Amino acid sequence: KRINQLVIFIILVFSIVFIRIFYVSYLRHDQLSQTAKNQYERAKDSKLTRGDIFAYTPEKKYITLAGETESPYLYLIPRNSKEPLKTAKLLSTVLKSFSEENLFKILSKKDDPFELVEKKISPETVELVKNLNLEEVKVGYENERYYSLVASQAHLIGFLGFSGQDRVGQYGLEGFYNESLDKNISIV
């Protein structure tokens, strides 16, 4: 009798779990997908920049030792490509470093949601790509740290590196003032 109760209990638990998985996976799929997309967009928009490091010269001027700038990159969304050959031909006229064949191979990946093509593209290339007005060709921007002084000052300024997934200051001023710079507070 107890074994029957245990079997019924296990079947009941598995049924509840199965019903819940079905509910989340199929019935609430659209709502949860939209929520995830909104969270991604909000996180992307709220990305903070890092504070700058300035020096005060004897001539009473500020110079930037370390700062951030937006660096454009080009990416493709192959699954949105309706005519990969046509897109590859158009794009190869703008991107001299990629052949039409290579672009066609990338654009032919029907299930691929993202392919990085080139980083640090010029403003002219950005304009040319945007003028193509192709749904599968996009320009993104990422924050990039730059250092204005020569390498001989690197030990003083430090650099921005990674600790796991987080960008953190390594050594020098970048490391010492890491918390302030992360909060977008500039230092002199």
Side-chain angles (χ1 to χ4, degrees), residues 89-172:
K89 282 182 182 180
L90 285 170
L91 201 54
S92 66
T93 62
V94 174
L95 297 174
K96 303 299 181 201
S97 57
F98 281 87
S99 69
E100 183 180 320
E101 295 82 29
N102 287 343
L103 291 168
F104 178 71
K105 282 181 190 176
I106 294 170
L107 288 163
S108 296
K109 299 176 184 177
K110 291 296 177 195
D111 294 328
D112 195 352
F114 179 88
E115 281 289 333
L116 180 65
V117 177
E118 195 168 343
K119 285 186 156 197
K120 298 180 184 178
I121 58 176
S122 70
E124 296 81 24
T125 304
V126 170
E127 280 304 310
L128 290 170
V129 167
K130 285 184 176 181
N131 288 339
L132 291 175
N133 200 26
L134 297 168
E135 180 184 347
E136 62 271 29
V137 181
K138 302 288 183 188
V139 175
Y141 295 89
E142 64 185 347
N143 289 339
E144 185 176 83
R145 197 76 169 157
Y146 69 89
Y147 300 94
S148 60
L149 292 180
V150 293
S152 63
Q153 302 299 317
H155 66 284
L156 172 68
I157 299 168
F159 62 93
L160 189 62
F162 284 92
S163 177
Q165 294 289 334
D166 299 326
R167 293 176 11 161
V168 295
Q170 305 282 327
Y171 308 105

Side-chain angles (χ1 to χ4, degrees), residues 3 10 14 25 41 72 83 86 106 114 122 132 140 162 177:
I3 199 85
I10 291 173
F14 278 111
S25 298
E41 292 297 325
E83 299 179 54
K86 180 181 173 186
I106 294 170
F114 179 88
S122 70
L132 291 175
F162 284 92
Y177 291 108

